[in-house]
Amino acid sequence: MGRGINETSARGTRAKVVRRVVGAGFAGAAMAGAMAFAAAPASAQPLPTIEPTVENAAPTLDNIKLGITKAVETNPELESVGEWALTLFPEY
Protein backbone atom coordinates (compact mmCIF):
# COMPACT_ATOMS: atom_id res chain seq x y z
CA MET A 1 0.00 0.00 0.00
CA GLY A 2 2.79 2.41 0.80
CA ARG A 3 4.38 1.75 -2.54
CA GLY A 4 1.26 2.84 -4.43
CA ILE A 5 1.11 6.13 -2.55
CA ASN A 6 4.74 6.93 -3.34
CA GLU A 7 4.26 6.16 -7.04
CA THR A 8 1.17 8.35 -7.21
CA SER A 9 2.84 11.29 -5.50
CA ALA A 10 5.93 10.92 -7.71
CA ARG A 11 3.75 11.08 -10.83
CA GLY A 12 1.94 14.13 -9.50
CA THR A 13 5.22 15.88 -8.75
CA ARG A 14 6.57 15.05 -12.20
CA ALA A 15 3.43 16.44 -13.82
CA LYS A 16 3.74 19.65 -11.83
CA VAL A 17 7.37 20.05 -12.87
CA VAL A 18 6.51 19.44 -16.52
CA ARG A 19 3.72 22.02 -16.34
CA ARG A 20 6.09 24.54 -14.77
CA VAL A 21 8.76 23.94 -17.41
CA VAL A 22 6.25 24.27 -20.25
CA GLY A 23 4.78 27.40 -18.66
CA ALA A 24 8.25 28.89 -18.27
CA GLY A 25 8.99 28.11 -21.92
CA PHE A 26 5.86 29.92 -23.09
CA ALA A 27 6.60 32.86 -20.81
CA GLY A 28 10.16 33.03 -22.12
CA ALA A 29 9.00 32.97 -25.72
CA ALA A 30 6.47 35.71 -25.04
CA MET A 31 9.10 37.82 -23.31
CA ALA A 32 11.56 37.34 -26.19
CA GLY A 33 8.89 38.45 -28.66
CA ALA A 34 8.09 41.51 -26.58
CA MET A 35 11.78 42.41 -26.36
CA ALA A 36 12.21 42.05 -30.13
CA PHE A 37 9.15 44.23 -30.74
CA ALA A 38 10.40 46.86 -28.31
CA ALA A 39 13.89 46.86 -29.86
CA ALA A 40 12.61 47.69 -33.35
CA PRO A 41 13.22 51.32 -34.23
CA ALA A 42 10.08 53.39 -34.41
CA SER A 43 11.25 55.20 -37.55
CA ALA A 44 11.89 52.03 -39.55
CA GLN A 45 10.74 52.35 -43.13
CA PRO A 46 8.22 49.77 -44.32
CA LEU A 47 9.45 47.22 -46.83
CA PRO A 48 8.64 48.02 -50.45
CA THR A 49 5.74 46.13 -51.93
CA ILE A 50 6.22 44.14 -55.11
CA GLU A 51 3.28 44.20 -57.46
CA PRO A 52 2.50 40.76 -58.86
CA THR A 53 3.12 40.66 -62.60
CA VAL A 54 3.70 37.95 -65.16
CA GLU A 55 7.43 38.75 -65.13
CA ASN A 56 7.62 38.17 -61.36
CA ALA A 57 5.80 34.86 -61.71
CA ALA A 58 7.80 33.66 -64.72
CA PRO A 59 10.01 31.12 -62.87
CA THR A 60 7.00 29.52 -61.20
CA LEU A 61 5.01 29.41 -64.43
CA ASP A 62 7.98 27.89 -66.24
CA ASN A 63 8.18 25.15 -63.61
CA ILE A 64 4.47 24.40 -63.95
CA LYS A 65 4.73 24.28 -67.76
CA LEU A 66 7.76 21.98 -67.49
CA GLY A 67 5.82 19.68 -65.15
CA ILE A 68 2.91 19.50 -67.59
CA THR A 69 5.27 18.78 -70.48
CA LYS A 70 7.05 16.00 -68.58
CA ALA A 71 3.71 14.50 -67.53
CA VAL A 72 2.62 14.38 -71.18
CA GLU A 73 5.96 12.85 -72.22
CA THR A 74 5.65 10.04 -69.67
CA ASN A 75 1.90 9.56 -70.25
CA PRO A 76 1.08 10.06 -73.95
CA GLU A 77 -2.64 9.55 -73.27
CA LEU A 78 -2.64 12.94 -71.51
CA GLU A 79 -1.50 14.82 -74.62
CA SER A 80 -4.83 16.52 -75.35
CA VAL A 81 -5.28 17.58 -71.72
CA GLY A 82 -1.66 18.77 -71.55
CA GLU A 83 -2.02 20.90 -74.67
CA TRP A 84 -5.21 22.42 -73.28
CA ALA A 85 -3.53 23.13 -69.91
CA LEU A 86 -0.60 24.87 -71.59
CA THR A 87 -3.01 27.22 -73.42
CA LEU A 88 -4.17 28.54 -70.01
CA PHE A 89 -0.79 30.14 -69.30
CA PRO A 90 0.18 33.57 -70.66
CA GLU A 91 2.84 33.95 -73.31
CA TYR A 92 5.67 36.26 -72.32
Side-chain angles (χ1 to χ4, degrees):
M1 182 152 207
R3 185 175 182 170
I5 293 171
N6 289 337
E7 288 176 2
T8 304
S9 63
R11 280 191 209 124
T13 303
R14 231 180 274 138
K16 288 179 187 175
V17 170
V18 168
R19 275 185 257 151
R20 286 182 183 160
V21 169
V22 170
F26 281 126
M31 189 167 239
M35 294 291 286
F37 183 72
S43 64
Q45 296 294 324
L47 295 174
T49 57
I50 298 174
E51 295 297 324
T53 61
V54 173
E55 291 80 19
N56 292 344
T60 304
L61 293 177
D62 288 342
N63 289 337
I64 295 170
K65 288 179 180 180
L66 181 64
I68 292 171
T69 305
K70 287 191 181 248
V72 169
E73 288 174 0
T74 57
N75 301 308
E77 64 273 6
L78 297 176
E79 186 172 352
S80 61
V81 176
E83 289 175 2
W84 173 79
L86 290 174
T87 61
L88 299 174
F89 294 99
E91 294 294 326
Y92 51 91

